[in-house]
Amino acid sequence: MGDLAGVVGKLPYLAGLGVDGLWLNPFYASPGHDHGYDVADHCAVDPAYGSLEGFDELVATAHGHGIRVILDVVPNHASIAHPWFAAALAAGPGSPQRGRFHFADGQGPDGNEPPNNWRSIFGGPAWTRISEPDGTPGQWYLHTFAAEQPDWNWTHADVPALFERVLSFWLDRGVDGFRVDVAQGLHKLAGLPDHPDAWADEATGDPVNPNAWNQPAVHQVWRSWRRLVEDYTARDGRDRLLIGEVGLTDPAAVADYTRPGELHHTFCFPFAHATFDADTYRHVITTALAHHPDGVAWVANNHDLPRAVTRHTPTPRDRDGDGDGDGEELPAGADPAQIGLARARAAAALMLALPGAVYLYQGEELGLPDVADLPVTVLKDPMYHRSGGTRPGRDGCRVPLPWTTSPDHHHGFSPPATTTPAWLPQPPTWADLAADTQHHTTTSTLNLYRQALALRRTIPDLATTTLTLHTDTPPGLLALSRGTHLTTYTNTTHHPIPTPHPHPGQPILTTHPTPHPTDTIPPNTTVWYHHDTPADAASTADDAVTEAI
Ligand code: GLC
């Protein structure tokens, strides 16, 4: 399954990769119905992952490498194995213990219809009926996600108090911040009225229920959490970070979560969802910078999304290349999988050239694709199971990454003594993507990420907040400058494009695996150029749409 000791063992790899922080998905005591996002004890390490002592060692060792540690905190919902949920079941209707969750009587003569029409994001109703302590059919409880994840009632004073204790517990152990799960959740509209378009939640998996999401009161929570982490900073001078997963589609509503005194960052999901297209990226970048002038947190991959390599792979119906409008026309003989990889590399180099923070997901630095053909018998994701298999779920992006070319011990993922299968099986083709092979291959995706991250640290222009997006570029070419000495081009077409400026500067990074003329951007490629004087900058600087953000 992976464990904390395994993370400690790979900290030198992460330091060599060049990251300066590590966000850990939940490792707390949990029955694991949603990959640990169903937390039974927020202050305990699940024995499958290690111990508190092991966690302390992880923090100390990470800090020794200059890597900060951010934990995942899950405040929208608990686990049915949380002791407060057991207490709620035992205490009966109307009790303060039930008040910590959303329990309600059912509708209909026998109360056997859910209290409202809300749907679970993973599929099915958002309510499950319990048996009362005397065995009779009883009340229902709300769960926005799986039935094993009852939603907390944030208007009950015990709930905010619990989470303040949880944050303090981990801050006292030295963590550097928190990634906040479902940060648009927590509070619900009083009375839990029906959602006029309830099926949309289930059909898309997008959190769109206006009665369950983005209630004004949630911002009070973020203000109180910000005060709490600032108190720690005031004591020892060390920064602490709060970054929210805000799954709202309106960029202005997302921006409300990073108002002064609230969260520091929210993930920029539009970047991850962008198709590989220059105009789309230009729009996404401009919008994100406009709404988050203090810093965007870019992201192209995470544990909930199909991996970028797969997302950017042209779909089978595009492969005929017949230009009949049903998709993308590919060059003759093109391999869609190679196009997906080339685009993922180019998108990563674009992202790593942007101002702000960048969040990488394990294995993206190896160019891993999703594993689309996992046997149904190994699928774990409640999204797959609750949707009756109509939504594939997220297991495909969670397969353990291959450390070694040798298949032994699940490509080095498991300790040598392991005899059981890995929790999700790796495909045989991953031998070619193993970290040890990529380490020795100059043009590998691993070395591309290392190189980009190293340049991000060393080139002063990349440390500024200045970004210039150029507009008079040929179709399919995205050009941007950072500061005065760095210009990057991303070619999102299938044909080479000459750089608009005949002397673009010194190429310092290219995502193309083979040598190419310095004044030409190959298809599906990003190239970074360093130029010595501002005069050398791309000729389009006057047309900047975004300056000095
Ligand atoms: C967040 C997590 C996801 C989890 C869900 C419910 O979206 O990223 O993995 O399933 O919350 O906790």
Side-chain angles (χ1 to χ4, degrees):
M1 288 180 67
D3 58 15
L4 297 181
V7 176
V8 174
K10 295 299 181 189
L11 285 170
Y13 168 89
L14 292 176
L17 179 60
V19 299
D20 45 19
L22 176 60
W23 150 34
L24 294 168
N25 289 130
F27 52 76
Y28 317 109
S30 164
H33 291 290
D34 181 23
H35 199 40
Y37 283 94
D38 47 325
V39 182
D41 182 347
H42 298 81
C43 297
V45 175
D46 195 283
Y49 295 124
S51 63
L52 273 178
E53 294 69 34
F55 175 78
D56 292 341
E57 184 196 342
L58 189 160
V59 173
T61 315
H63 285 172
H65 284 287
I67 296 177
R68 299 176 209 190
V69 179
I70 295 170
L71 301 194
D72 211 319
V73 63
V74 189
N76 179 71
H77 44 267
S79 158
I80 50 168
H82 194 284
W84 284 8
F85 191 74
L89 294 184
S95 62
Q97 288 88 340
R98 287 224 174 154
R100 294 168 174 153
F101 301 90
H102 292 282
F103 279 88
D105 295 332
Q107 301 188 84
D110 302 320
N112 55 10
E113 297 291 327
N116 70 19
N117 71 349
W118 295 4
R119 308 293 296 176
S120 154
I121 284 176
F122 289 160
W127 295 90
T128 290
R129 194 172 195 184
I130 61 158
S131 294
E132 297 298 345
D134 65 3
T136 56
Q139 290 194 299
W140 298 68
Y141 66 89
L142 177 70
H143 51 86
T144 304
F145 294 90
E148 295 83 3
Q149 295 169 294
D151 281 35
W152 292 112
N153 176 6
W154 272 82
T155 63
H156 191 298
D158 285 357
V159 175
L162 168 72
F163 278 91
E164 299 230 341
R165 287 199 301 278
V166 168
L167 298 186
S168 300
F169 177 85
W170 294 108
L171 288 164
D172 288 341
R173 299 192 97 90
V175 305
D176 300 281
F178 300 95
R179 175 266 189 190
V180 183
D181 192 62
V182 194
Q184 80 283 8
L186 287 72
H187 281 277
K188 315 291 188 267
L189 186 60
L192 310 182
D194 277 353
H195 170 200
D197 195 13
W199 289 94
D201 275 333
E202 184 170 349
T204 64
D206 284 334
V208 294
N209 182 347
N211 301 342
W213 298 131
N214 199 30
Q215 298 300 307
V218 78
H219 293 282
Q220 288 163 19
V221 180
W222 309 137
R223 284 192 277 271
S224 79
W225 286 26
R226 179 66 176 258
R227 283 194 297 274
L228 193 151
V229 298
E230 300 277 344
D231 280 353
Y232 276 80
T233 299
R235 274 183 243 163
D236 63 11
R238 270 175 53 212
D239 286 337
R240 307 300 198 289
L241 178 78
L242 294 174
I243 172 154
E245 180 206 33
V246 180
L248 300 172
T249 45
D250 174 10
V254 176
D256 283 348
Y257 287 73
T258 49
R259 288 177 296 197
E262 300 200 23
L263 304 173
H264 297 92
H265 275 156
T266 54
F267 292 107
C268 178
F269 292 125
F271 190 89
H273 293 305
T275 49
F276 190 74
D277 169 69
D279 287 342
T280 305
Y281 280 127
R282 196 177 288 116
H283 174 72
V284 164
I285 293 167
T286 308
T287 307
L289 290 168
H291 283 99
H292 299 275
D294 293 332
V296 179
W298 307 102
V299 59
N301 289 276
N302 71 23
H303 64 289
D304 293 328
L305 298 170
R307 287 184 178 275
V309 171
T310 300
R311 265 183 287 121
H312 292 312
T313 298
T315 56
R317 68 177 188 151
D318 298 330
R319 286 184 192 177
D320 54 8
D322 60 7
D324 66 2
D326 69 347
E328 220 177 307
E329 193 169 347
L330 302 183
D335 174 354
Q338 285 308 316
I339 292 175
L341 177 60
R343 289 172 166 176
R345 288 164 57 109
L350 167 62
M351 177 172 72
L352 287 163
L354 296 173
V358 171
Y359 282 74
L360 307 177
Y361 175 53
Q362 52 91 354
E364 80 167 82
E365 81 281 13
L366 301 179
L368 298 184
D370 248 40
V371 183
D373 56 356
L374 286 168
V376 166
T377 48
V378 305
L379 296 181
K380 309 273 188 291
D381 190 350
M383 186 187 286
Y384 173 82
H385 293 288
R386 286 187 63 90
S387 71
T390 57
R391 289 167 59 203
R394 302 157 294 178
D395 294 300
C397 71
R398 298 175 177 180
V399 173
L401 61 81
W403 295 103
T404 59
T405 308
S406 155
D408 293 349
H409 325 303
H410 317 120
H411 292 285
F413 175 71
S414 302
T418 309
T419 51
T420 47
W423 76 294
L424 290 170
Q426 299 148 318
T429 48
W430 278 21
D432 295 339
L433 295 169
D436 60 354
T437 299
Q438 293 206 32
H439 175 73
H440 296 291
T441 309
T442 322
T443 56
S444 69
T445 305
L446 175 59
N447 281 322
L448 174 69
Y449 271 77
R450 286 173 173 163
Q451 199 188 346
L453 285 162
L455 290 168
R456 207 174 149 80
R457 279 176 193 279
T458 49
I459 294 190
D461 281 336
L462 285 172
T464 68
T465 53
T466 313
L467 173 84
T468 306
L469 272 171
H470 302 282
T471 52
D472 68 344
T473 43
L477 189 70
L478 180 71
L480 63 88
S481 295
R482 297 292 314 280
T484 48
H485 298 288
L486 192 92
T487 299
T488 76
Y489 294 102
T490 301
N491 177 356
T492 62
T493 75
H494 292 302
H495 53 266
I497 301 183
T499 56
H501 191 283
H503 305 292
Q506 172 76 20
I508 54 169
L509 181 114
T510 176
T511 64
H512 199 68
T514 55
H516 58 84
T518 57
D519 58 357
T520 301
I521 315 299
N524 299 310
T525 295
T526 293
V527 185
W528 293 8
Y529 293 95
H530 197 261
H531 27 88
D532 290 336
T533 64
D536 256 352
S539 59
T540 54
D542 288 342
D543 299 305
V545 292
T546 312
E547 287 250 35
I549 287 171

